[in-house]
Amino acid sequence: MTVLLAHISDLHLDGTDRATERATRTVDYLRGLPQAPDALLVSGDIADHGAREEYAEAAGLLDLPFPVLSCPGNHDDRAAYREVLLGEPGSGEPVNRVHHVAGAAVLACDSTVPGEDGGHLDAATLVWINDTLNELPGDTPALLALHHPPVRVHHPLPDSMRLDNADDLAGLLAAHPRVAGILVGHAHTGGATTFAGRPLLLAPGVTWTLRMPWEGEPAFNRDQPPGVAFHVLEEDHRLTTHFRAVV
């Protein structure tokens, strides 16, 4: 078993030509790969204002010849996200889904707090993660996907609105060695670190890239091309990631 998972984040579709062009360029790149990924993960902030028309555009863009998995971000609206992207009745409850991809499980978790930029995994979501991992068969490897990083990324902007109950997640993961990695967005910068002894991978932003403090100001680098992460999960649960700019 080897799983190839493409990962993008933070499309921030807002009806402008600029956002549409960058998102289209990114999905066209994925569509044109000689080997299609087993799935694409979109880790939140699909829409910029949580508007139905923004999700309608996203639905068209993400109509790809391979599965598309997603979780919401702080700019997303749970009810509109459910109705337009998932074809479900609108609801303000957390959007948590498990996806089975080429022998692995991807748990797409809702770390959003309606009306706030920071993240939190509520009690119901933590119970759902625990129960879902417990119910997976045998030694099925799992990946956790959420929008908000549970660690500092060393920039004051995303660090001021990261996941606020990282210790709860770390405690849960201690009981689940099958989790091979955590995949996040929100920071608009490709990156790699660790969390709870597992790889933690940050997807590059599609709409703009975060300029780190040592790169100068302003924080929003709108000239950097969109980025994609490719995660390769092997049978021994080793996770390898490659980052690409989409020029």
Side-chain angles (χ1 to χ4, degrees), residues 52-112:
R52 294 179 61 86
E53 56 268 25
E54 294 169 344
Y55 292 115
E57 180 181 9
L61 285 170
L62 297 173
D63 184 13
L64 296 168
F66 40 81
V68 177
L69 329 176
S70 65
C71 59
N74 53 291
H75 280 252
D76 291 307
D77 177 84
R78 288 173 174 173
Y81 176 104
R82 268 197 170 91
E83 291 174 359
V84 182
L85 284 185
L86 303 182
E88 299 177 357
S91 166
E93 295 300 309
V95 185
N96 299 312
R97 296 289 184 276
V98 60
H99 304 275
H100 297 277
V101 179
V106 180
L107 279 66
C109 311
D110 191 338
S111 62
T112 66

Side-chain angles (χ1 to χ4, degrees), residues 1 17 47 53 106 108 113 116 160 163 167 232 242:
M1 180 208 78
D17 290 343
E53 56 268 25
V106 180
V113 181
E116 298 184 16
S160 69
L163 192 74
D167 288 347
V232 183
H242 304 268

Side-chain angles (χ1 to χ4, degrees), residues 148-195:
H148 295 84
V151 298
R152 291 192 306 136
V153 301
H154 303 286
H155 190 288
L157 179 61
D159 287 348
S160 69
M161 47 187 179
R162 65 184 188 270
L163 192 74
D164 70 1
N165 60 332
D167 288 347
D168 293 337
L169 180 58
L172 186 157
L173 290 176
H176 294 287
R178 72 167 72 240
V179 176
I182 302 99
L183 312 177
V184 301
H186 192 50
H188 289 243
T189 179
T193 184
T194 60
F195 175 75

